[in-house]
Amino acid sequence: MKHSEKQGPTLRILTYNVHRWLGTDRKISPQRIADVIASCNPDIVALQEVRVGRVRAGEIDQAAAVASRLGMDLHFQPTIRILGEQYGIAVLTRHASKIVQSGRLPTQSTRPSFEKRSALWVSVEIDGQTVQVVNAHLSLRSGERRTQAAALIGPDWIGHPDCRDPAILLGDFNAPPYSRSYRLIANRMQDAQLSNSFGEPQPTFHTRAPVLRLDHVFVTKSIEVVDAGPVRNPMTRVASDHFPLLAELRVRKRLGTATSRRAHEGELL
């Protein structure tokens, strides 16, 4: 028996490389990043280059302050640890959520690396629908990036039995669409920006002169893309060196064989 579908919940999801809260005006402002995110009204936020922790007594934990300002729960995976501070990737959401898995992505270097490229997988409940969200920040080196992209769609992450459709893979991939790393993922999942209202997909980097599309939102087949594109305004042009990428999605609820059978039996009664 074929699966049928009905319209499920809509969600707004944002990926944003916040550049350690450092703007192009050289000012560190977690508050400004929080204002950018709040203006987008997202349900789920994936952040890269997040700075957390306190170096000196009396300082705030910047990531926690941003999450508190937004009224969202914070899930964090460190990639760098320096002098009591941590940098890494994070997922924020106002919905019920839990970390399924976090960990490092493969490296080709035999020497200890300054930044441990990682992924963070969070399961989010939205209107009775479970959505798997994987946030990643990939290497600047092309060969290593390809290895990491292959790992993300492999059995440990998107290909994992528990990472079933609907699932979203997003983040700063440092991979433009002509790269092999991008194509590895795009051959498996849908690039949300290919279904936007702007015509051609728009670059996300650099905010001073946007020419590269490095940040992406990829979705599995049961997710319909309503719209997707970078958020460009005077505040986002200065808040970070990347534009935030916002996608509005609709999750189609699939009615499997058992559910369809029960519905059919109900109609016969």
Side-chain angles (χ1 to χ4, degrees):
M1 183 180 295
K2 292 183 178 180
H3 291 275
S4 59
E5 294 179 343
K6 67 177 182 178
Q7 185 169 302
T10 58
L11 66 97
R12 293 167 65 85
I13 190 163
L14 187 79
T15 181
Y16 197 8
N17 183 323
V18 297
H19 198 223
R20 308 183 308 279
W21 321 118
L22 178 65
T24 55
D25 57 0
R26 307 309 298 170
K27 293 180 180 177
I28 294 175
S29 179
Q31 178 62 47
R32 182 166 57 189
I33 293 292
D35 290 343
V36 167
I37 296 171
S39 71
C40 298
N41 192 30
D43 297 283
I44 303 168
V45 183
L47 301 179
Q48 305 84 42
E49 295 193 21
V50 176
R51 178 184 175 189
V52 306
R54 305 173 179 85
V55 175
R56 290 175 291 274
E59 285 192 345
I60 63 168
D61 183 320
Q62 295 170 327
V66 168
S68 177
R69 156 80 172 80
L70 296 168
M72 290 181 158
D73 292 331
L74 170 68
H75 305 291
F76 177 73
Q77 166 65 24
T79 60
I80 303 174
R81 291 181 172 90
I82 304 175
L83 300 174
E85 274 197 292
Q86 297 182 89
Y87 299 82
I89 58 177
V91 171
L92 287 72
T93 177
R94 58 172 55 95
H95 298 276
S97 60
K98 63 179 181 180
I99 292 179
V100 179
Q101 179 174 288
S102 61
R104 298 179 185 176
L105 294 171
T107 178
Q108 294 181 338
S109 175
T110 56
R111 296 175 296 178
S113 56
F114 176 68
E115 183 172 6
K116 314 291 195 256
R117 299 293 181 171
S118 300
L120 175 61
W121 171 7
V122 174
S123 176
V124 183
E125 296 287 334
I126 300 178
D127 295 337
Q129 176 73 59
T130 302
V131 180
Q132 310 300 330
V133 178
V134 179
N135 178 19
H137 189 194
L138 303 193
S139 174
L140 294 170
R141 294 181 288 186
S142 60
E144 188 166 81
R145 191 166 59 242
R146 286 195 300 272
T147 302
Q148 293 166 354
L152 282 172
I153 59 173
D156 291 335
W157 298 96
I158 292 298
H160 192 284
D162 292 336
C163 196
R164 62 183 69 89
D165 186 26
I168 303 167
L169 171 62
L170 74 172
D172 177 2
F173 294 85
N174 281 309
Y178 53 77
S179 67
R180 291 175 61 188
S181 304
Y182 169 90
R183 292 199 301 270
L184 275 171
I185 301 172
N187 287 340
R188 174 77 176 268
M189 305 177 75
Q190 178 187 356
D191 179 350
Q193 269 222 73
L194 297 180
S195 302
N196 65 33
S197 62
F198 300 97
E200 289 294 318
Q202 300 296 303
T204 58
F205 179 83
H206 186 286
T207 50
R208 285 183 173 172
V211 294
L212 293 174
R213 193 157 76 90
L214 303 180
D215 306 88
H216 305 289
V217 175
F218 297 101
V219 300
T220 51
K221 60 185 178 181
S222 74
I223 297 177
E224 174 191 352
V225 179
V226 179
D227 207 355
V231 180
R232 294 184 180 173
N233 56 48
M235 186 162 53
T236 62
R237 286 188 178 93
V238 71
S240 174
D241 58 351
H242 286 246
F243 285 109
L245 176 61
L246 177 65
E248 183 177 352
L249 309 173
R250 182 176 293 116
V251 181
R252 303 185 191 97
K253 288 187 176 180
R254 299 184 66 194
L255 301 178
T257 302
T259 306
S260 300
R261 185 185 301 118
R262 285 195 298 268
H264 177 65
E265 290 171 351
E267 290 172 357
L268 294 177
L269 293 176

